[in-house]
Each structure stands twice: as structure tokens, then as C-alpha cells.
Amino acid sequence: MKIRKVIRVNVLNIVVWAVFFIIWAAGMSSNVYWSVTRQLLTMIFMTFGLMIQMISGVLDLSFAAEISASTCIGACLLRTGMPLAPAMAAVLVCHLGLGALKGFLVASLRVNPVIITLALQIIVSNLSGLFTGDHMVIFNRKDVYASHAFWLSLFVLAVVSSLFLCFFLKRTYYGKYLRMLGENPAAVRESGLNHMAIRMIISMAASVFYGIAAMILLFITSSGSSSNGSHYLYPVIAAACMGGISFLNGRGKVFGAWLGTLSAVMFMHIIVILGIQSSFETILEGLIIIISILLAVKTANN
């Protein structure tokens, strides 16, 4: 029964992996594996941040817009000649501020968090669009991202982050509060706990990972724009859903985040290799999200 349950939950992952390896057997370029690795290490931090929010019962639709806005800020600061460390600190502070605001609004306004994050997504994306227009803010930097040392450092950071999240979710009070918020937010409000402080801390913790992802995008593209992170909204949500992370019942594991992100990256490469149009890619990602949620609900009910 347990094996059957695992197969049912991971049916989409199994299908994606099967298609990917069939294409590999047909003669896939060796460069694809390096591309998959780089994309995985870029997306995993976004999935970590989204996982924290989803476990607490919040489907965060604003993270991609926040990443785009912070890359604009970071690129402008680097373009003026600011040293790397304070510029990256400014990017992180930007995300922490937005995270605190998001947590405050979710705790204060007794409405579905999806409405709040959608509103923030619209506001932040349009503000960054007014700031930069359709232009990219380009700065000069060394091609450190092209070196294997850069990506090895990111891998080490991702592993350390995974260990931290495992400890945070299982061994800390805030990890327990996180799951309580996802399972029964009304009970948390009535328990006497500082609901607003918990929401703000959780949202700021997620924002740290969004900030790391924004820094990676800055290094990769050497630019900032209002659309820098927008391409990752649906793939990262799909990755979280494929990894068994649910905003409906406070469930989610770090291993699931890795598994779902790897499957999402493989899916994106399958789309490119097969030459499928981007509009169909978005449709397929939407179907993946719906099917993943339905499978999670069915498994939870059983």
C-alpha cells in the first residue's frame, strides 16, 4: 500500500523523468546536463522560499515580481560603482522589507492570502516597470558565474540551506507554528500566540531565499529588469506542487522541494528540446499544478 501511495503521489515526476531519459537515450547533448544543474541551483532557492510560505497556508504569487524588482535595485547600485557586498545587502534588505510587509498584511487582513499576494504581485511588478520601463539595467562584472567554482559554491549553499530548513521545520517552535498555520490558522489566532509576529518572521525567512535567487539571477544575466524573475512564477509553483508541498494542509518536505524542482527543470528542457511553443508550456505547467493538487487532496483524504 505504501509503494502504491508513493507512486500515486509522484506519478507526474515519474512521467517527466521517463520522457527525459527516453530523449536522453535517443541522443541528448551532454551540455543539457550542465544546463539542468545550473537551472536546478537557480530555482531551488525560489522553491525553498515558496515551500515555507505554502506550508504556512500561503500560496505566494508575488515572489517572482519581488525578485524582478530587487534585481533592478541591485543592478542600478552595481552600475553606479557600489561594491558588491553592500549592493547584495541592499537586495536582501529589499526582500526582508517586502517579506515583513507581506506577513503583516496576511496577518492583519482576514482575507484569503492569495488575494494579498496577487495584489502585491501587481503593485511590485508595475512599480519596477515604471522604474525601468522595458529596458534592462546592465552593469559590468566578471564572468564568475561561468566558472565551476561559482556553481560548486551554490551547491554547497543549497545543501547547507536544506539542512537548515530540515532543522527549522522539525526542531524549532517556529517550524511547528508554520505547520499549525497551514493546518488550522484559526486555532493559532485563538491560542494566544503572537500571530502577526509569527507571520512576519515566516514571511521574512522565505524572503531570504528569494533574495539569494535574485542575487544568482543578477550574476547570471549581469542585469536587472522588471521581467527578470517573471519567467519563474509558474515553473516554481509547479515544482513545489510536484514535490508534494501543499498550501491546503501544512505539508511539505525539503526532499520534496529538491525532487519537484528537478522534475520541473527536466520538464522545461523537454519543452525546449521538443520545440514546443512557450504558450503551450504555460498551459502544461498549469495542468501540472492542477493535477498535483488533485493528487495531494486525494491522497490526504485517503
Side-chain angles (χ1 to χ4, degrees), residues 69-141:
S70 66
T71 60
C72 293
I73 294 172
C76 288
L77 294 175
L78 290 170
R79 188 172 182 176
T80 61
M82 178 179 285
L84 182 63
M88 295 301 98
V91 170
L92 188 58
V93 168
C94 171
H95 278 279
L96 288 173
L98 289 170
L101 174 62
K102 191 187 306 178
F104 173 79
L105 292 175
V106 170
S108 301
L109 305 176
R110 301 295 181 88
V111 297
N112 193 314
V114 172
I115 299 174
I116 297 171
T117 61
L118 178 60
L120 284 174
Q121 186 265 337
I122 295 170
I123 293 170
V124 173
S125 61
N126 281 280
L127 281 176
S128 57
L130 288 172
F131 182 65
T132 62
D134 295 328
H135 303 289
M136 298 178 67
V137 182
I138 302 173
F139 61 93
N140 294 322
R141 56 93 182 94

Side-chain angles (χ1 to χ4, degrees), residues 27-275:
M28 184 185 297
S29 171
S30 58
N31 293 331
V32 172
Y33 302 109
W34 178 232
S35 178
V36 167
T37 301
R38 290 186 296 180
Q39 194 71 26
L40 173 65
L41 292 175
T42 302
M43 282 181 57
I44 188 62
F45 293 100
M46 301 182 199
T47 310
F48 283 160
L50 185 62
M51 177 183 73
I52 293 174
Q53 291 282 31
M54 288 180 68
I55 292 176
S56 71
V58 177
L59 179 58
D60 190 355
L61 299 179
S62 64
F63 74 89
E66 293 168 14
I67 290 173
S68 298
S70 66
T71 60
C72 293
I73 294 172
C76 288
L77 294 175
L78 290 170
R79 188 172 182 176
T80 61
M82 178 179 285
L84 182 63
M88 295 301 98
V91 170
L92 188 58
V93 168
C94 171
H95 278 279
L96 288 173
L98 289 170
L101 174 62
K102 191 187 306 178
F104 173 79
L105 292 175
V106 170
S108 301
L109 305 176
R110 301 295 181 88
V111 297
N112 193 314
V114 172
I115 299 174
I116 297 171
T117 61
L118 178 60
L120 284 174
Q121 186 265 337
I122 295 170
I123 293 170
V124 173
S125 61
N126 281 280
L127 281 176
S128 57
L130 288 172
F131 182 65
T132 62
D134 295 328
H135 303 289
M136 298 178 67
V137 182
I138 302 173
F139 61 93
N140 294 322
R141 56 93 182 94
K142 297 179 180 179
D143 291 328
V144 292
Y145 79 92
S147 67
H148 289 280
F150 173 76
W151 293 103
L152 180 60
S153 301
L154 282 184
F155 175 74
V156 172
L157 180 60
V159 171
V160 172
S161 299
S162 300
L163 296 175
F164 167 76
L165 279 173
C166 288
F167 176 79
F168 177 78
L169 292 173
K170 295 182 179 180
R171 301 293 182 181
T172 67
Y173 286 112
Y174 282 103
K176 295 177 182 178
Y177 297 155
L178 189 79
R179 297 188 184 279
M180 288 170 61
L181 283 169
E183 293 172 356
N184 194 343
V188 176
R189 292 193 189 95
E190 297 170 2
S191 65
L193 296 171
N194 193 332
H195 178 245
M196 181 173 293
I198 293 172
R199 275 291 184 195
M200 291 178 68
I201 290 172
I202 288 172
S203 190
M204 290 171 71
S207 294
V208 170
F209 292 105
Y210 297 152
I212 295 173
M215 296 177 200
I216 296 171
L217 288 178
L218 271 172
F219 280 115
I220 292 175
T221 63
S222 69
S223 65
S225 75
S226 58
S227 61
N228 234 3
S230 60
H231 308 296
Y232 290 96
L233 177 59
Y234 300 120
V236 172
I237 294 176
C241 293
M242 292 173 75
I245 301 166
S246 174
F247 63 93
L248 301 174
N249 50 21
R251 294 186 179 182
K253 296 181 179 179
V254 175
F255 175 76
W258 277 98
L259 179 64
T261 304
L262 181 56
S263 296
V265 171
M266 286 182 170
F267 172 78
M268 292 165 67
H269 280 77
I270 291 170
I271 295 296
V272 172
I273 293 170
L274 296 181

Side-chain angles (χ1 to χ4, degrees), residues 5 8-9 246 248-249 251 293-302:
K5 183 178 179 180
R8 184 192 307 155
V9 172
S246 174
L248 301 174
N249 50 21
R251 294 186 179 182
I293 293 174
L294 289 175
L295 289 172
V297 171
K298 185 176 181 180
T299 303
N301 290 336
N302 292 338

